[in-house]
Amino acid sequence: MSTLAVAKKDFLDVRRAKIVWFVSSLYVLIAVLMFYFGQNNADDPEFYYALTGLTGNGAMILTLVALVTAYLAIAGERESGSIKYMLSIPNSRRDVVLGKFLTRSAVVVGSILVGFGIGAVLGVLWYPSIDVEMFLGALALTILFTLTYVSVAVGISAATASRSRAMGGTIGFFFVTTVLALFRMVSFALDWILNDIFSLELSRNALTFIEAVMSPLMAFFGAMDLVFPSQASRTAPDSPWYLEGEVMIVILLAWLVVPLVLGIWRFERADLG
């Protein structure tokens, strides 16, 4: 077997998971609600408000879709012992990790395409005009962002030997990089630790950059400036270069690659008993 063979077999398993279908359905519901309320009681509804709503608000749901879909990809099979059968076929451990990543990515991207597809149909039906370039840019950025969470979840799953540890690591990652970051608690903590305790006197811009490096969600919000008009910009015009959208894309790419590489490295050295 190979990476693609592992992915094909795994896809047959993951598509039967009811929790995956449930959280994916929530994202589709978000798409419908954003485009409905964007035009409801509006004489001249603007497409980009609905699209920014789907892109920004939908990101929270997509983190759950990605993590729920991928966190047991390998840890679940290690705990049950079925991973030994998969490796005896034979497959390399790298094939297993990459195959699982491809499968879980396909499921998540499928949810995104359905959500954006419904949004496109509703946009044509309910809005005076749609911006195709903006729409495709938002779709591409959303896919990249969501795949970073798939990579993290697969990486955690590859590095842990049980369901409980995979779940704990995934919940911890979600809580710190998503929940706390969204409520600016990460920013406050960085300011307190780096400036108040260590007296580094870092600027607000520097702290914002560190927060983006620590949280794919914050990097995603920073990269949204590349897609949406200036009136929706989240970055001040005089911000330094390291807060530009292109830098945020590089950070997201790092989040896509590094957890997967570390997961492969850890899994290749794991004692499977």
Side-chain angles (χ1 to χ4, degrees), residues 106-119:
V107 172
V108 171
V109 170
S111 300
I112 296 172
L113 292 177
V114 171
F116 269 78
I118 291 174

Side-chain angles (χ1 to χ4, degrees), residues 232-262:
S233 176
R234 297 169 182 267
T235 305
D238 59 346
S239 295
W241 65 269
Y242 52 80
L243 294 183
E244 295 293 331
E246 292 83 357
V247 177
M248 298 297 108
I249 293 293
V250 173
I251 293 174
L252 287 175
L253 289 173
W255 273 107
L256 176 63
V257 174
V258 173
L260 204 58
V261 171
L262 292 177

Side-chain angles (χ1 to χ4, degrees), residues 17-267:
K18 294 181 180 179
I19 185 64
V20 173
W21 287 102
F22 175 72
V23 293
S24 298
S25 298
L26 287 180
Y27 180 69
V28 173
L29 178 61
I30 287 291
V32 174
L33 292 177
M34 290 298 101
F35 279 85
Y36 172 76
F37 287 112
Q39 58 81 41
N40 190 37
N41 296 324
D43 296 330
D44 188 23
E46 294 192 41
F47 177 74
Y48 93 89
Y49 284 128
L51 187 60
T52 54
L54 173 60
T55 307
N57 296 324
M60 287 295 296
I61 299 298
L62 284 175
T63 60
L64 293 175
V65 174
L67 295 176
V68 167
T69 300
Y71 83 101
L72 289 181
I74 298 171
E77 296 206 33
R78 286 183 66 179
E79 186 172 88
S80 67
S82 59
I83 194 70
K84 296 179 183 179
Y85 168 77
M86 184 173 292
L87 291 171
S88 68
I89 290 179
N91 296 304
S92 71
R93 298 192 183 193
R94 180 178 301 180
D95 287 338
V96 171
V97 176
L98 293 179
K100 298 283 188 176
F101 173 75
L102 289 178
T103 300
R104 311 304 162 120
S105 296
V107 172
V108 171
V109 170
S111 300
I112 296 172
L113 292 177
V114 171
F116 269 78
I118 291 174
V121 172
L122 297 181
V124 171
L125 294 176
W126 290 345
Y127 291 80
S129 63
I130 63 174
D131 189 324
V132 176
E133 182 178 356
M134 183 193 304
F135 179 85
L136 294 177
L139 174 60
L141 180 59
T142 298
I143 289 175
L144 172 60
F145 162 71
T146 310
L147 291 184
T148 64
Y149 276 78
V150 177
S151 176
V152 168
V154 172
I156 291 174
S157 190
T160 52
S162 66
R163 292 170 176 263
S164 59
R165 291 180 181 179
M167 180 181 293
T170 302
I171 292 174
F173 178 82
F174 173 77
F175 186 72
V176 172
T177 67
T178 305
V179 178
L180 294 184
L182 188 65
F183 288 98
R184 311 304 298 175
M185 297 302 294
V186 172
S187 178
F188 295 148
L190 288 173
D191 189 17
W192 176 63
I193 294 171
L194 298 178
N195 287 338
D196 293 345
I197 296 180
F198 292 100
S199 302
L200 296 181
E201 298 183 356
L202 296 178
S203 67
R204 173 52 52 186
N205 286 330
L207 292 173
T208 299
F209 174 75
I210 296 173
E211 185 181 21
V213 171
M214 294 178 59
S215 169
L217 182 65
M218 293 298 104
F220 170 71
F221 285 149
M224 285 176 65
D225 291 349
L226 296 174
V227 175
F228 297 106
S230 57
Q231 60 262 42
S233 176
R234 297 169 182 267
T235 305
D238 59 346
S239 295
W241 65 269
Y242 52 80
L243 294 183
E244 295 293 331
E246 292 83 357
V247 177
M248 298 297 108
I249 293 293
V250 173
I251 293 174
L252 287 175
L253 289 173
W255 273 107
L256 176 63
V257 174
V258 173
L260 204 58
V261 171
L262 292 177
I264 292 172
W265 175 81
R266 183 68 182 87
F267 187 52

